[in-house]
Amino acid sequence: MIQSTMNKIKNRKLKLMSRNFQTKLIFCICCLGLGNSLMAQQEPMYSQYMFNMIQINPAYAGNRGTNQLTGLYRNQWLGLEGAPTTMSLSWDIRSHYSNVGYGLQLYKDQLGIETTTGFQSYYSYKIQFEKSNLAFGLSVGVLNYRANLTDVETFTGGDPSFAENVNNMLPTAGFGMLYATENWYAGFSMPALLNSKIYTENFKIELNKYNHYFLTAGYIFGISEAVKLKPSFLMKAVKGSPFQFDLNVNAWIQNNFGVGVSYRIGDALVSMFELQVTPEFGIGYAYDYTLTNIKTFSKGTHELMLRYEFGNKRNQKVLSPRYY
């Protein structure tokens, strides 16, 4: 009986230590910086960006040539208290006879004590060549950044640095380019151009201190009439950090079912699928298996995507933008 009681006490202590460590870990992720300067959370991460690339490049607005609505929910590092969650709802359109595309997006991104909600608008213009096109895109918007500093349990208690919360509205802007043919594409973008600063009595908080540069490319292989294979990659560069690579392979079967795998070098292995339930409605899912030390506390990452294309007809020709 005594031994059983001691074991229960020990297990409770271990759980408490683990929870305290998780809280400190998330706080460190939220507040990367030294002294009185903090660097807030950077660009949100998506595993299924290749199915809705307006998230990372404004030039993709209207790229699929349809009127579509896309919702995405991402629950990162499941089981880790305060881990990132991301929700977004985007709409974009371009008629078949127009070179102009438009888009709108609402999003909410939360990490620990940080919450960013925002609205983004997109504009793209496509220059048509004989067998290819070049699109330029711009995005502008506004975000609300909140940091609940008073929720932080400090070691000493009563730390004046955490005596007030942060709640600010800030402008946003982005730029992108996309060159596309029937079988391959390449894109470059800077989705967050503005370096915004928030000053409080004790801190200077910087959002997007360094620009993020994204480079994407992919190729469509026709394996057979029924199967299309698309290898692709995403490279992200940020000053002061090593290059980050996503290597992806997706296969489409009968234009209705897609399955793929991604390797985010040094970070995660991702499996995903997309199902075109009806000509108008599609659903996608991705699971990230974490490769870093966070996997000790995390059960992986789940991401769900829903897409609806208005006015799609069952006999409408499926164009290559479906694949990117």
Side-chain angles (χ1 to χ4, degrees), residues 117-190:
T117 56
F119 169 82
Q120 201 79 357
S121 60
Y122 300 90
Y123 172 87
S124 70
Y125 185 83
K126 180 174 66 174
I127 302 173
Q128 189 68 48
F129 303 111
E130 184 178 354
K131 294 183 178 181
S132 62
N133 61 77
L134 176 64
F136 297 88
L138 293 172
S139 67
V140 294
V142 61
L143 66 81
N144 172 243
Y145 173 79
R146 291 184 289 120
N148 296 324
L149 299 178
T150 57
D151 290 346
V152 177
E153 295 183 7
T154 58
F155 292 103
T156 57
D159 190 331
S161 298
F162 300 93
E164 62 173 319
N165 293 328
V166 178
N167 190 341
N168 284 76
M169 302 292 293
L170 299 166
T172 60
F175 168 78
M177 303 168 58
L178 170 67
Y179 182 79
T181 71
E182 184 70 18
N183 295 317
W184 65 272
Y185 68 93
F188 170 79
S189 63
M190 293 182 288

Side-chain angles (χ1 to χ4, degrees), residues 51 79 160 222 237 301 306 321:
F51 298 135
T301 297
L306 303 175

Side-chain angles (χ1 to χ4, degrees), residues 1 89 113:
M1 177 67 71
L89 181 65
I113 62 172

Side-chain angles (χ1 to χ4, degrees), residues 22-34 37-42 77 81-85 109-116 145-149 152 162 204-207:
Q22 292 179 26
T23 302
K24 293 173 184 177
L25 176 63
I26 291 296
F27 177 69
C28 290
I29 293 173
C30 290
C31 301
L32 296 175
L34 296 173
S37 180
L38 301 181
M39 185 171 65
Q41 185 181 1
Q42 300 297 291
W77 301 337
E81 187 177 353
T85 58
D109 190 40
Q110 188 163 0
L111 170 58
I113 62 172
E114 286 186 314
T115 302
T116 303
Y145 173 79
R146 291 184 289 120
N148 296 324
L149 299 178
V152 177
F162 300 93
K204 178 183 74 174
I205 301 175
E206 297 189 69
L207 278 73

Side-chain angles (χ1 to χ4, degrees), residues 43 46 48-64 68 70 88-93 101-105 120-124 138-139 175 178 189 191 324:
E43 288 301 294
Y46 305 95
Q48 299 176 90
Y49 64 86
M50 69 287 295
F51 298 135
N52 186 34
M53 287 198 278
I54 193 176
Q55 308 274 10
I56 60 173
N57 189 337
Y60 279 92
N63 183 61
R64 291 171 63 89
Q68 69 168 359
T70 304
S88 72
L89 181 65
S90 61
W91 165 83
D92 67 299
I93 185 173
Y102 302 98
L104 300 172
Q105 183 187 42
Q120 201 79 357
S121 60
Y122 300 90
Y123 172 87
S124 70
L138 293 172
S139 67
F175 168 78
L178 170 67
S189 63
Y324 59 86

